[in-house]
Amino acid sequence: EDQVVNGHDEKENNPFAEYMWMENEEDFDRQVEEELQEQEFLDRCFQEMLEEEDQDWFIPSRDLPQGMGQLQQQLNGLSVGDGHSSEDILSKSNLNPDAKEFVPGVKY
């Protein structure tokens, strides 16, 4: 049978082991404070990085003047080739349909 003294087993080396951190409480507090400051610094850096990234992106609602929204809606309503058939365009063209295809950097 284990004998219990003051609520602790006799075999237990130090009944106050779980409270030993309090012996160096100032060091413990300083360490926790440094960790909190480091986390705060990292959060600020991360936020600045996100703000810089946002400045690089083009956001129409933010970067265009107010009247541009209407113009953008009008442009979205347009379609290519309105009212003209492709035969019309080809008959008026002065391009040579038998010409070789242009490839940059290649000499013919």
Side-chain angles (χ1 to χ4, degrees):
E1 277 184 35
D2 292 335
Q3 195 174 15
V4 177
V5 178
N6 292 332
H8 295 282
D9 293 340
E10 249 183 43
K11 293 180 182 177
E12 196 175 320
N13 292 339
N14 186 354
F16 301 104
E18 64 182 280
Y19 302 105
M20 290 307 292
W21 67 270
M22 290 181 180
E23 180 180 16
N24 300 320
E25 190 173 359
E26 291 173 2
D27 292 338
F28 179 79
D29 288 347
R30 186 173 29 77
Q31 180 184 355
V32 170
E33 190 172 330
E34 286 174 3
E35 290 173 5
L36 290 173
Q37 287 173 347
E38 184 177 344
Q39 183 62 42
E40 185 180 323
F41 175 74
L42 290 174
D43 289 345
R44 279 198 317 264
C45 289
F46 189 70
Q47 188 61 38
E48 282 181 28
M49 182 188 70
L50 288 176
E51 288 170 4
E52 286 176 10
E53 194 174 88
D54 279 350
Q55 290 172 0
D56 292 342
W57 288 91
F58 174 75
I59 302 170
S61 61
R62 178 193 71 192
D63 298 333
L64 291 177
Q66 289 299 79
M68 292 299 282
Q70 292 172 341
L71 180 61
Q72 198 171 19
Q73 286 176 348
Q74 290 173 352
L75 288 174
N76 289 341
L78 295 178
S79 63
V80 177
D82 257 353
H84 299 289
S85 68
S86 58
E87 290 81 24
D88 258 0
I89 295 171
L90 290 176
S91 67
K92 295 178 184 175
S93 172
N94 59 1
L95 297 176
N96 179 1
D98 300 322
K100 289 184 178 179
E101 183 179 346
F102 172 73
V103 180
V106 175
K107 295 184 180 180
Y108 297 101

